[in-house]
Amino acid sequence: MRTIRPLALAAAGALVLSACGGGESVDTGGGGGGGGDNVLVAAVSAQPDQFDPHVTSAYPSFQVLENVYDTLVVPNAEDLTMEPSLAESWETSVDGLTWTFTLREGVTFHDGSEFDSADVVYSYNRIIDDELANSYRFANVASVEAPDPQTVVLTLTQPTPNLLALIGAFKGMSILPENAAEDLDLTTEANGTGPFELESSDASSTVLTAYADYWGGAPAIDGVEFRYVTEPAAALTALENGEVQWTDNVPPQQVSDLSGSEDVELASTSSVDYWYMSMNYARAPFDNPAVRRAIATAIDRAEVTEAARFEAARANQTAIPEDSFYYYDYAPFQADEEAARGLLEEAGVSTPITMGLMVTDEFPESVTAAQVIASQLEPIGITVEVEVLDFATWLDRQDQGDFDAFMLSWLGNIDPADFYEQQHITDGSSNYQGYTNPQVDQLLTQAATEVDEDARKALYDQAAKIIVDDVSYLYLYNPDVVQAWVPGLSGYRIRADRAINFEEVELP
Amino acid sequence: MTAEPLPVEPVPSRPARPRWRETLVLLARNPTALAAAVVLLAIVVVAVFDQTFAPYPANEQDIGNRLRPPSWEHPFGTDNLGRDILSRVIIGASVSLKVGFLSVGLALVAGTLIGLLAGFYGRWVDDTLMRLMDMLFAFPAVLLAIAILAIRGPGTTNTIIAIAIVYVPIFARVTRASVLGVREEVYVRASRSVGASDFRLLTRHVLPNAAPPIIVQTSVSLAFAVLAEAALSFLGLGTQPPNPSWGSMLAEGREFIEQAWWLAFFPGIAIVVTVLCFNLLGDGLRDVLDPRQRTLMAGGGR
Amino acid sequence: MVLAGVSVLVFSLIHLVKGDPVRLALGTRYSQEAYDALRARNGLDLPLVEQYVTWAGRALTGDLGVSFRSGEPVTALIGERLGATLTLAIAAILLALLIAIPLGTISALRPRSAVDRIATVISQIGISVPDFWLAIVLILVFSGTLGWLPTGGYVPITEDPVEWARRLVLPAIAVGVVSGSVITRFVRSSVLEALGSDHVRTAQAKGLPARQVFSWHVLRNALLPLVTVTGVQLAYLLSGVVVVEIVFSWPGLGQLALQAVQARDYPVLQGAVLLFAVIFLLINLLVDLLYTRIDPRIRR
């Protein structure tokens, strides 16, 4: 028929046009075609929001940045103790206020320029002066100086035993080349010292190419393509098909099936993350310690953990996981409905109490956990209204203090200060629940400067005990890190801090 | 959710005086429409008396018994928190139907009113009103619903409002087109010359004769409203946990599809059956209310 | 006029939504200075009317501003996803027509027969299944169990035509089947209408052979509603089928818009909605044009 032909032509034309439209943004290799011969295709669940390491706080961004930038020190893959990276060695003055780092020689940035102490000074001062996302980690740093190109000196206001963890726990404290913020658009471009260069990033994937002059030796693979696949079913199918070679998008309920599978190599390890719930001290009756303790008594953590994570987590009434040196074995609460009800009665609190519990669907496991908690609190007279929000709204309301209770997790905690300080010290930058206890403040402050490890642990144990008894946070569990890859892939280490590092990977 | 199809065609070119009894009889002769109506009635009954029909409370958890396949105690199996899926499907029916009927009801009232006014009074009234409707219509439906839910917050009530707002333009358009067809009819002009008030004209003459396409549109919109609720719940914006709705059950079930297909299968089937019935009923109504088809049918023609 | 209206609408809507985009863009820790600076840079400290007028003015020259979240120009963000959305929409519509025209015509040729009833139920089932559901099932069957096709992602045709085609199949089916079912209904009713029309009855009464009865005239009249409904479906598909995009990791405009709402990224959202409105108008225009070509009696 006459009109159909022009339609068909137009349609075909549009198809070709659309192809042109879509083709511009993907420059090389990657772009979805299977990754090329020696390129690792990794299926990740979300797109990075931007690539400025000092500004972003999004885990998807750090998945990429881990391979592009370096810090002075990094956590060891096995036990997370801090080891040399861009800094080869360091010395502390006797009074603990001066740290002198000797930098590695022969390191170059992706653009070929040489790395030296001026870059470190620039990077740290940028974070401090511009008050960027991680400036709180430099709170004790009075000055950063570079007496010579190979040396950086940090002068502190007080002894800081965990300084290494503060400056090296993750890539938020990356070393940028001098004046990087003026020379580059750091949100979309990168110039680092890491094993891979940022090649391109678009709506489907982010592509990295190997940096031959990497100070740790050129990577065995030619590049990495981080492909965004939000749907776990799709990610796992892609892995089984060989379309992708690595993924962290593994739902916990699949773990037992996958560990038996021959098509897929599954790995899991306990992590340093923890999930918790907290109630708002600014809203009655949640400022009443008896109410908080009643809630802590009514909740059966084992059940919550089992429901949310299946086997892939360990219930915990404190924050620090079992395999850490700083683990404190303290579990004062027994799940006991009767006792919980008793606590409420004694306190003279009238039920029913309504509690809005804010969770985000960014983490489906928390929605499940919230529902279990709701059913556990109902018998004691607390009606929980689960509020599922998108992450942006969730963060906003948390910031505003507009909540009764919220549930989330903290990732990447290396040092005990990471686990406890900012969340529970009065006016801490992460103390959204509004907890204040002078004793805890004193203990945390003291522990921050205590150099002796055992003494330090003792202090944190004491602080933790009070925090747990007061139920500033109601700790739930430490999830495992679960990742999967194709059989035969070697050189990849799964890490408890969830950092993803592909520098030594070899494809089968 | 899928786009609303265009206003129903064909628009009757002669006034089809709705003889309701005859309509129903003719409808009943259509086996698919009849079956659809019966099933729908059953679903509505179950939804209205949901608490009676549901063997367990919808939110009663039993973690030890979770993810069990269909059995005598749990004919549809249990979900990831040990809740009985049959009960949740039944309670979910009441939620989905409530959302469907209320949102379409709201859209029907508002849209019909706007369409009536626009079609009847014409000129600048028509222009302004329809321009407004056009603006709303040009806004992608899903996005509009998401934006409204972002403003008002998630939940069942706000979902009803969001879907209603999205469907108002369609009802307005259908009504207007229908009214335009009827406006110039002899009986309308006659009544007018006799001095009948506008209101009387609109309610007694225009509306009943313009009604058929609106009725069909209602049935079809009900179908899409149920799908829309499912899609919005899938995105996490609709009915909030732990309350069941077919859409959120599908979303939850999708995480377990490989180990426990029954979590998503039964709510999925429920959606398909319900929506299918609304659509088949709408189709039957369309055939019956179109005067040309009707003549053929009543006359026994194929 | 409609464009202006739509843009005002989205502007007012998005500002009604709670949530401060500056705070969201800056993350959990930031200084008051950084906050003020970002706010000023994005013009958020100006009165709303002025903000809108500035935006509108720039939009007319093709400058849609930059994203709050990432700082990239909105036009670039939209551009990189336009290809994916266009591809899926067109492929799905073609598939839909391929299903709808034969199915609807057969139904209409023998109304209320067994064939008609079966075809009706089939196409009705097609509309009754949630599209994201169909998408998941397709992945499980074709990518999972059978392993024939990839699970998603988009490859431009210029890069790798084979992969482009393979990845397009499942999403196109998921969306096309649903659209096809919608269109089938219209083909059926409009062909029925055309068959029942005076032209045809007269021709049949005259004893003309079937081929002449089903002439261009008949089918031409049946085409009109078909063109309209196809236009509506196409406009809908081009505004992004969010849930299907999510399931297939298809980097389309729907996901962009959803993310923009969630991040309160006003410029991106306004740019996207403006684009959708433009598409809607263009398609309406195209439909009108086709109308006049099909039936010269119709003058708009």
Side-chain angles (χ1 to χ4, degrees):
Chain A
M1 261 181 263
R2 268 170 283 169
T3 44
I4 300 244
R5 250 188 281 146
L7 258 175
L9 272 176
L15 269 169
V16 173
L17 270 175
S18 67
C20 298
E24 310 169 307
S25 47
V26 180
D27 301 2
T28 54
D37 303 312
N38 203 15
V39 172
L40 169 70
V41 183
V44 292
S45 22
Q47 187 174 1
D49 63 347
Q50 55 150 306
F51 294 110
D52 186 337
H54 296 166
V55 175
T56 183
S57 51
Y59 178 65
S61 300
F62 284 115
Q63 287 182 301
V64 174
L65 295 173
E66 176 73 25
N67 297 283
V68 174
Y69 284 106
D70 286 318
T71 45
L72 283 189
V73 290
V74 283
N76 173 285
E78 285 284 349
D79 57 14
L80 297 183
T81 50
M82 304 307 291
E83 58 182 29
S85 181
L86 286 180
E88 270 186 336
S89 63
W90 48 89
E91 278 176 3
T92 327
S93 66
V94 174
D95 61 3
L97 296 178
T98 312
W99 289 64
T100 311
F101 292 87
T102 309
L103 302 178
R104 195 176 295 270
E105 296 186 48
V107 178
T108 47
F109 287 95
H110 298 147
D111 66 357
S113 59
E114 285 203 7
F115 159 70
D116 64 25
S117 55
D119 303 309
V120 178
V121 173
Y122 169 75
S123 303
Y124 288 171
N125 280 330
R126 178 181 185 239
I127 296 176
I128 298 171
D129 296 337
D130 290 356
E131 287 185 59
L132 296 176
N134 301 300
S135 52
Y136 71 96
R137 302 179 85 93
F138 292 87
N140 291 347
V141 174
S143 73
V144 184
E145 264 133 41
D148 66 64
Q150 245 47 55
T151 316
V152 174
V153 176
L154 261 63
T155 314
L156 308 176
T157 52
Q158 55 188 4
T160 311
N162 59 343
L163 182 70
L164 293 179
L166 285 172
I167 63 172
F170 61 100
K171 296 296 181 280
M173 292 69 69
S174 295
I175 308 301
L176 306 177
E178 228 180 323
N179 293 321
E182 283 86 49
D183 296 338
L184 294 176
D185 174 11
L186 286 171
T187 54
T188 52
E189 302 168 307
N191 186 11
T193 54
F196 294 93
E197 301 183 57
L198 178 63
E199 177 78 41
S200 68
S201 178
D202 63 31
S204 318
S205 61
T206 297
V207 178
L208 306 181
T209 43
Y211 179 49
D213 295 328
Y214 174 55
W215 59 265
I221 50 181
D222 294 335
V224 181
E225 181 196 335
F226 289 89
R227 206 178 288 176
Y228 325 130
V229 183
T230 32
E231 194 62 33
L236 287 171
T237 310
L239 185 63
E240 284 162 0
N241 281 349
E243 277 175 72
V244 304
Q245 290 89 42
W246 181 100
T247 183
D248 62 346
N249 198 349
V250 182
Q253 59 268 22
Q254 303 266 55
V255 171
S256 46
D257 280 349
L258 285 172
S259 37
S261 162
E262 285 185 353
D263 301 323
V264 156
E265 187 144 332
L266 186 82
S268 73
T269 179
S270 61
S271 74
V272 294
D273 310 342
Y274 64 89
W275 278 86
Y276 67 93
M277 182 176 114
S278 188
M279 287 75 71
N280 195 345
Y281 276 94
R283 289 202 185 168
F286 304 112
D287 53 345
N288 184 331
V291 171
R292 295 180 86 99
R293 290 184 64 86
I295 294 177
T297 311
I299 289 181
D300 180 350
R301 284 167 190 67
E303 203 179 60
V304 173
T305 309
E306 169 66 29
R309 295 284 305 176
F310 292 72
E311 305 298 308
R314 336 272 165 101
N316 194 346
Q317 293 196 25
T318 59
I320 302 183
E322 272 176 39
D323 25 25
S324 165
F325 166 76
Y326 286 98
Y327 173 61
Y328 176 42
D329 189 1
Y330 182 57
F333 296 109
Q334 300 285 13
D336 187 343
E337 210 183 276
E338 282 296 327
R341 235 180 272 134
L343 280 170
L344 282 179
E345 271 169 32
E346 272 170 37
V349 177
S350 61
T351 57
I353 305 174
T354 311
M355 181 172 98
L357 177 54
M358 249 186 11
V359 289
T360 170
D361 55 4
E362 183 91 2
F363 307 107
E365 66 189 71
S366 66
V367 180
T368 310
Q371 293 180 67
V372 179
I373 289 176
S375 78
Q376 290 171 349
L377 291 181
E378 212 203 306
I380 69 166
I382 300 184
T383 313
V384 176
E385 279 171 9
V386 179
E387 297 166 342
V388 181
L389 306 168
D390 64 271
F391 205 11
T393 314
W394 191 100
L395 285 172
D396 199 52
R397 283 184 54 184
Q398 183 194 53
D399 213 30
Q400 304 281 60
D402 179 18
F403 58 88
D404 289 339
F406 63 98
M407 185 193 311
L408 202 65
S409 72
W410 285 105
L411 313 179
N413 312 294
I414 309 269
D415 183 82
D418 292 336
F419 282 92
Y420 288 118
E421 201 179 279
Q422 293 302 318
Q423 293 86 350
H424 304 285
I425 205 166
T426 306
D427 290 334
S429 59
S430 305
N431 188 344
Y432 296 103
Q433 71 276 22
Y435 176 60
T436 170
N437 183 320
Q439 226 189 332
V440 169
D441 289 349
Q442 198 235 351
L443 285 165
L444 287 175
T445 319
Q446 214 185 330
T449 56
E450 175 56 62
V451 180
D452 177 63
E453 260 196 345
D454 294 312
R456 207 162 170 244
K457 179 175 193 307
L459 286 169
Y460 278 118
D461 287 351
Q462 286 175 50
K465 181 173 191 304
I466 305 178
I467 290 171
V468 171
D469 286 343
D470 280 351
V471 195
S472 167
Y473 269 9
L474 206 169
Y475 295 99
L476 295 168
Y477 57 83
N478 301 107
D480 290 342
V481 182
V482 183
Q483 294 165 356
W485 51 84
V486 289
L489 184 145
S490 62
Y492 176 73
R493 252 330 202 348
I494 189 170
R495 297 171 57 121
D497 62 353
R498 265 182 219 278
I500 295 175
N501 194 310
F502 293 124
E503 66 182 277
E504 306 203 346
V505 167
E506 284 176 42
L507 291 174
Chain B
M1 65 191 185
T2 53
E4 188 60 68
L6 264 197
V8 172
E9 20 233 292
V11 172
S13 61
R14 299 192 304 280
R17 283 168 53 217
R19 287 164 296 193
W20 300 114
R21 276 193 60 199
E22 188 187 71
T23 307
L24 284 172
V25 165
L26 279 174
L27 191 61
R29 285 210 210 146
N30 176 344
T32 36
L34 187 60
V38 169
V39 173
L40 217 43
L41 196 58
I43 296 178
V44 169
V45 167
V46 168
V48 168
F49 295 104
D50 55 355
Q51 304 286 4
T52 325
F53 280 100
Y56 299 80
N59 296 333
E60 186 180 77
Q61 297 176 10
D62 184 3
I63 311 276
N65 249 337
R66 65 180 174 168
L67 297 175
R68 298 252 180 267
S71 63
W72 277 121
E73 300 94 47
H74 297 282
F76 283 2
T78 61
D79 71 359
N80 61 319
L81 290 180
R83 301 177 290 206
D84 177 48
I85 293 180
L86 174 60
S87 308
R88 286 175 70 78
V89 169
I90 291 175
I91 311 272
S94 116
V95 173
S96 292
L97 284 182
K98 188 169 82 173
V99 172
F101 281 113
L102 283 176
S103 62
V104 171
L106 274 173
L108 176 66
V109 167
T112 307
L113 189 62
I114 295 177
L116 262 180
L117 293 174
F120 191 70
Y121 288 112
R123 278 170 300 168
W124 67 267
V125 175
D126 184 9
D127 267 348
T128 341
L129 284 175
M130 289 328 279
R131 284 259 181 270
L132 268 166
M133 291 295 104
D134 271 346
M135 279 187 335
L136 218 48
F137 202 60
F139 212 107
V142 185
L143 205 52
L144 184 56
I146 291 175
I148 295 172
L149 285 169
I151 296 173
R152 299 195 53 95
T156 315
T157 320
N158 292 327
T159 307
I160 294 175
I161 296 176
I163 297 180
I165 294 180
V166 168
Y167 282 116
V168 162
I170 296 184
F171 278 100
R173 275 193 177 191
V174 173
T175 310
R176 174 181 177 273
S178 199
V179 166
L180 281 178
V182 161
R183 187 174 63 173
E184 299 308 319
E185 289 308 323
V186 174
Y187 58 90
V188 172
R189 289 216 221 102
S191 306
R192 224 192 195 139
S193 62
V194 169
S197 77
D198 279 353
F199 183 73
R200 193 185 167 80
L201 267 176
L202 281 171
T203 49
R204 289 289 220 91
H205 296 285
V206 176
L207 190 51
N209 289 297
I214 305 178
I215 295 175
V216 181
Q217 182 63 45
T218 308
S219 176
V220 173
S221 288
L222 280 167
F224 283 102
V226 172
L227 281 175
E229 191 276 332
L232 289 170
S233 297
F234 186 83
L235 289 174
L237 295 168
T239 306
Q240 296 291 284
N243 296 320
S245 98
W246 291 339
S248 61
M249 288 175 76
L250 269 184
E252 283 169 3
R254 125 192 187 247
E255 296 171 38
F256 296 94
I257 184 109
E258 291 185 27
Q259 307 100 304
W261 54 269
W262 51 95
L263 261 77
F265 179 74
F266 292 108
I269 290 286
I271 294 181
V272 174
V273 168
T274 309
V275 173
L276 187 59
C277 288
F278 277 125
N279 276 326
L280 288 176
L281 192 59
D283 241 25
L285 279 169
R286 183 179 297 160
D287 279 349
V288 155
L289 290 170
D290 168 18
R292 261 169 282 201
Q293 298 299 336
R294 195 191 181 96
T295 324
L296 278 173
M297 284 164 65
R302 267 189 90 235
Chain C
M1 182 40 214
V2 172
L3 275 182
V6 170
S7 58
V8 170
L9 183 63
V10 67
F11 188 82
S12 24
L13 268 185
I14 189 70
H15 279 92
L16 276 174
V17 184
K18 283 182 297 195
D20 184 345
V22 182
R23 196 178 7 240
L24 291 171
L26 286 174
T28 42
R29 287 177 261 258
Y30 51 86
S31 67
Q32 190 57 38
E33 278 152 14
Y35 181 86
D36 292 336
L38 190 56
R39 204 172 138 81
R41 195 173 80 204
N42 284 311
L44 287 168
D45 47 355
L46 299 168
L48 283 181
V49 176
E50 195 177 325
Q51 283 186 47
Y52 175 71
V53 171
T54 320
W55 176 84
R58 293 212 198 107
L60 283 172
T61 60
D63 170 15
L64 291 171
V66 298
S67 154
F68 283 178
R69 220 164 75 104
S70 67
E72 287 175 70
V74 173
T75 30
L77 284 172
I78 291 181
E80 68 185 10
R81 290 176 177 263
L82 190 58
T85 296
L86 267 175
T87 311
L88 180 57
I90 293 173
I93 275 288
L94 288 178
L95 181 65
L97 287 172
L98 247 129
I99 298 176
I101 295 178
L103 204 58
T105 316
I106 296 177
S107 267
L109 286 177
R110 306 208 176 294
R112 280 176 293 285
S113 67
V115 176
D116 180 23
R117 299 244 187 264
I118 294 175
T120 302
V121 174
I122 292 179
S123 68
Q124 290 292 17
I125 293 181
I127 319 184
S128 307
V129 176
D131 51 8
F132 54 94
W133 188 235
L134 188 56
I136 295 175
V137 169
L138 284 171
I139 289 185
L140 279 177
V141 171
F142 289 96
S143 299
T145 316
L146 295 173
W148 291 348
L149 292 166
T151 56
Y154 167 68
V155 178
I157 189 174
T158 45
E159 242 185 59
D160 185 347
V162 173
E163 271 307 304
W164 170 81
R166 288 182 76 219
R167 277 157 208 276
L168 189 51
V169 172
L170 292 182
I173 294 179
V175 182
V177 160
V178 178
S179 282
S181 304
V182 172
I183 300 178
T184 305
R185 311 313 309 145
F186 279 89
V187 172
R188 177 184 181 272
S189 71
S190 45
V191 172
L192 258 181
E193 165 87 10
L195 286 178
S197 73
D198 297 332
H199 278 118
V200 176
R201 299 233 215 101
T202 319
Q204 281 175 325
K206 282 196 201 162
L208 286 175
R211 194 171 298 160
Q212 269 193 277
V213 172
F214 292 125
S215 72
W216 175 231
H217 286 284
V218 170
L219 291 162
R220 187 170 67 186
N221 285 330
L223 265 180
L224 294 175
L226 172 64
V227 166
T228 315
V229 72
T230 309
V232 171
Q233 286 296 309
L234 189 58
Y236 161 67
L237 292 178
L238 283 169
S239 59
V241 277
V242 180
V243 269
V244 171
E245 285 177 16
I246 291 177
V247 174
F248 283 109
S249 310
W250 195 261
L253 292 170
Q255 275 203 53
L256 181 67
L258 178 63
Q259 284 167 15
V261 173
Q262 288 175 336
R264 313 290 186 263
D265 199 341
Y266 305 159
V268 173
L269 189 59
Q270 291 206 235
V273 173
L274 190 66
L275 177 67
F276 297 148
V278 166
I279 289 176
F280 177 75
L281 288 175
L282 276 176
I283 290 186
N284 274 352
L285 211 63
L286 193 63
V287 167
D288 282 351
L289 271 171
L290 282 173
Y291 259 52
T292 52
R293 282 217 47 198
I294 294 173
D295 187 351
R297 290 176 300 168
I298 297 175
R299 287 276 172 257
R300 294 282 165 129

